[in-house]
């Protein structure tokens, strides 16, 4: 081509097989196919975004949980909120106590409380029981409130020799609170301005109407307890002397069942059932003997009185203990009357042979040990001869009469036998 010839535009060169012209219908079909593919890609892409978002949210949530549980320590501030009741159980360590408080809303963080309690001797010595605390309080405040004796509630102390019902001394009119009254007092709870207490009558009714099984009466006492029917005194002695915990929020039957169950466990731990079997007695009979020992003597004579009981039962000879005459009386007297001694009751050992129908009080551990291990001797009689508690023991009835004369001369008649 010469420079004078006009330039011609280059045409595109087709690559591949020769193309074909699409009809209008084919082009419309192809357009629809391409649009469907595009929409499908957008849906798949959208689902991917949602999935990724959910994974991110989950990761943030879990990370937050881990951050709050293992990260910076949190704590409440301020004076706190409502009062709540928590229970410290037997065997609880400080961590378990902290977890209980956390669950009750008292503290905000277990670790914070453990740090605040570090080296605190009072916290280390916390006893099982029920404690009244405020919710949402700083860990340091929780340490103070938990270790304050005023915040422990439901503590029940039963002295040796108490019986279920209150007793009144005939001479002095002094009233000795019984086990029912002591439990009722221990059940009192002041919480957020409200006061709640069981009454002795509530407990007496529960003792009379609950089944022995529901009251946690041990198997070895079911027979004698059932025999007394609806008499509330059928559970006498099954709540032993000692320190127990009463749930202030529980109803009377539950409270009685709990304390009887704890007492039974303690008696079993002390070996009462096994020792009774060795002595040829039932555990219930041995418990009755211990209650007689408790009411008839001072501790230094417990083992001798236990021997007198054993010797009289083996004669056989009626026990004739004034304590068994006094037991069902509302007003008790040092020297019982002829009329009282003649009255037949399930407990009066002047009027009936053998042991009374139930224990006559809650014996302590010393009386129980004495009943299990009587001092060797042939004594059948004993009498306290002075106000210092000096007691003389003898096998001879004539000598016993002479000893009684000494007691009469000294104005002491309550223990003559």
């Amino acid at each position: 081509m010469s420079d004078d010839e006009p330039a011609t535009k280059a045409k595109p060169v087709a690559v591949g097989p020769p193309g074909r012209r699409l009809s209008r219908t084919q082009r419309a079909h192809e357009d629809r196919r391409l649009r469907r593919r595009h929409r499908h890609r957008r849906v798949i892409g959208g689902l991917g975004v949602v999935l990724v978002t959910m994974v991110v949210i989950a990761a943030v949530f879990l990370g937050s949980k881990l951050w709050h549980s293992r990260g910076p320590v949190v704590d409440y501030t301020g004076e706190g909120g409502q009062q709540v009741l928590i229970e410290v159980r037997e065997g609880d360590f400080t961590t378990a106590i902290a977890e209980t408080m956390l669950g009750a809303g008292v503290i905000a963080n277990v670790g914070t409380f453990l740090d605040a309690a570090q080296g605190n001797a009072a916290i280390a010595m916390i006893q099982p029981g029920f404690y009244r605390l405020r919710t949402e309080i700083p860990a340091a405040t929780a340490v103070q409130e938990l270790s304050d004796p005023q915040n422990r509630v439901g503590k029940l102390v039963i002295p040796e020799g108490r019986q279920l019902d209150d007793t009144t001394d005939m001479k002095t009119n002094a009233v000795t609170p019984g086990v029912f009254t002591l439990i009722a007092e221990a059940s009192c709870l002041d919480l957020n301005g409200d006061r709640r207490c069981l009454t002795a009558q509530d407990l007496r009714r529960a003792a009379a109407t609950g089944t022995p099984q529901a009251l946690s009466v041990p198997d070895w006492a079911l027979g004698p307890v059932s025999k007394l029917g609806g008499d509330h005194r059928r559970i006498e002695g099954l709540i032993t002397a000692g320190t127990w915990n009463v749930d202030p929020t529980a109803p009377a039957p539950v409270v009685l069942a709990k304390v009887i169950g704890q007492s039974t466990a303690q008696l079993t731990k002390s070996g009462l059932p096994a020792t009774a079997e060795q002595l040829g007695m039932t555990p219930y009979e041995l418990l009755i003997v211990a209650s007689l020992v408790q009411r008839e003597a001072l501790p230094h004579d417990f083992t001798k009185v236990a021997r007198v009981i054993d010797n009289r039962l083996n004669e056989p000879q009626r026990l004739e203990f004034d304590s068994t005459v006094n037991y069902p009386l509302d007003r008790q007297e040092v020297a019982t009357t002829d009329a009282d001694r003649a009255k037949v009751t399930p407990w009066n050992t002047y009027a009936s042979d053998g042991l009374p129908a139930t224990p006559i009080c809650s014996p302590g551990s010393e009386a129980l040990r004495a009943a299990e291990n009587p001092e060797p001797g042939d004594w059948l009689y004993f009498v306290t001869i002075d106000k210092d508690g000096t007691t003389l023991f003898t096998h001879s009835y004539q000598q016993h009469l002479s000893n009684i004369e000494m007691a009469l001369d000294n104005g002491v008649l309550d223990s003559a036998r």
Side-chain angles (χ1 to χ4, degrees):
M1 178 184 303
S2 65
D3 294 338
D4 296 333
E5 292 179 348
T8 58
K9 183 180 291 186
K11 297 181 179 180
V13 178
V15 179
R20 63 184 180 86
R21 185 182 299 275
L22 297 177
S23 67
R24 180 178 299 174
T25 300
Q26 289 174 325
R27 285 199 300 271
H29 177 75
E30 182 68 14
D31 289 342
R32 286 195 298 272
R33 185 181 67 81
L34 291 173
R35 284 197 297 272
R36 283 199 301 271
R37 179 181 295 178
H38 183 64
R39 283 198 302 271
H40 180 70
R41 287 175 177 174
R42 281 191 299 175
V43 169
I44 296 297
L47 289 175
V49 171
V50 170
L51 181 61
V52 170
T53 302
M54 291 177 65
V55 170
V56 170
I57 292 174
V60 170
F61 176 76
L62 292 175
S64 176
K65 294 284 287 184
L66 290 172
W67 175 262
H68 285 291
S69 63
R70 298 183 182 180
V73 174
V74 294
D75 198 4
Y76 289 125
T77 59
E79 298 299 318
Q82 294 288 303
Q83 292 175 319
V84 293
L85 199 65
I86 70 160
E87 181 180 5
V88 175
R89 300 181 183 276
E90 189 74 38
D92 277 359
F93 292 104
T94 307
T95 300
I97 297 172
E99 289 171 347
T100 297
M101 290 193 292
L102 178 66
V106 174
I107 59 174
N109 185 277
V110 169
T112 312
F113 178 82
L114 295 179
D115 289 342
Q118 184 72 31
N120 189 303
I123 292 296
M125 297 297 291
I126 287 293
Q127 297 296 308
F130 296 88
Y131 295 83
R132 177 183 52 214
L133 303 170
R134 288 173 295 156
T135 56
E136 299 184 356
I137 54 177
T141 304
V143 170
Q144 294 173 358
E145 291 199 2
L146 185 62
S147 58
D148 184 349
Q150 296 298 317
N151 287 324
R152 182 177 178 182
V153 296
K155 182 178 179 180
L156 170 64
V157 178
I158 300 178
E160 295 89 347
R162 296 295 174 92
Q163 62 186 65
L164 291 173
D165 295 316
D166 297 351
T167 57
T168 303
D169 185 274
M170 182 71 81
K171 283 186 176 180
T172 65
N173 288 324
V175 177
T176 300
V179 172
F180 286 146
T181 295
L182 295 175
I183 294 176
E185 292 172 351
S187 76
C188 289
L189 174 65
D190 291 298
L191 200 67
N192 298 310
D194 294 327
R195 182 173 177 82
R196 175 196 180 279
C197 296
L198 292 174
T199 66
Q201 186 58 37
D202 294 332
L203 295 157
R204 194 174 292 110
R205 187 182 305 111
T209 60
T211 66
Q213 292 81 0
L215 293 172
S216 295
V217 171
D219 292 343
W220 45 261
L222 284 175
V225 168
S226 299
K227 190 175 180 180
L228 280 178
D231 193 317
H232 67 274
R233 290 167 291 193
R234 60 186 178 154
I235 66 166
E236 186 71 80
L238 295 179
I239 301 175
T240 58
T243 300
W244 312 109
N245 293 308
V246 171
D247 182 351
T249 65
V254 173
V255 169
L256 286 180
K258 183 73 171 179
V259 181
I260 291 174
Q262 290 175 329
S263 297
T264 300
Q266 187 62 38
L267 290 172
T268 301
K269 184 178 179 181
S270 72
L272 177 75
T275 302
E277 184 177 2
Q278 293 172 1
L279 297 173
M281 305 174 72
T282 68
Y284 194 69
E285 289 171 336
L286 192 53
L287 190 63
I288 293 174
V289 171
S291 74
L292 297 176
V293 169
Q294 186 75 63
R295 292 299 292 270
E296 286 287 330
L298 295 174
H300 62 270
D301 285 325
F302 277 175
T303 56
K304 287 185 176 181
V305 171
R307 177 56 65 189
V308 170
I309 295 170
D310 188 56
N311 289 342
R312 288 197 183 186
L313 292 175
N314 289 330
E315 278 291 317
Q317 179 178 337
R318 286 185 176 176
L319 294 178
E320 298 184 343
F321 285 177
D322 284 337
S323 58
T324 66
V325 177
N326 270 320
Y327 173 73
L329 301 179
D330 293 332
R331 298 178 64 83
Q332 301 190 349
E333 48 201 335
V334 174
T336 57
T337 65
D338 290 340
D340 288 336
R341 290 193 292 271
K343 191 180 301 181
V344 178
T345 74
W347 300 275
N348 185 358
T349 57
Y350 277 93
S352 303
D353 297 334
L355 294 169
T358 71
I360 61 171
C361 71
S362 296
S365 57
E366 285 188 81
L368 282 164
R369 285 195 298 268
E372 295 170 346
N373 301 283
E375 185 172 330
D378 62 355
W379 313 294
L380 288 173
Y381 309 97
F382 63 94
V383 59
T384 299
I385 61 168
D386 59 35
K387 294 181 180 180
D388 293 330
T390 304
T391 302
L392 300 180
F393 294 79
T394 181
H395 177 78
S396 166
Y397 183 64
Q398 292 302 317
Q399 182 61 52
H400 180 56
L401 293 178
S402 298
N403 294 341
I404 288 176
E405 289 300 321
M406 282 190 280
L408 289 170
D409 291 342
N410 293 329
V412 179
L413 298 174
D414 57 312
S415 298
R417 297 291 174 268

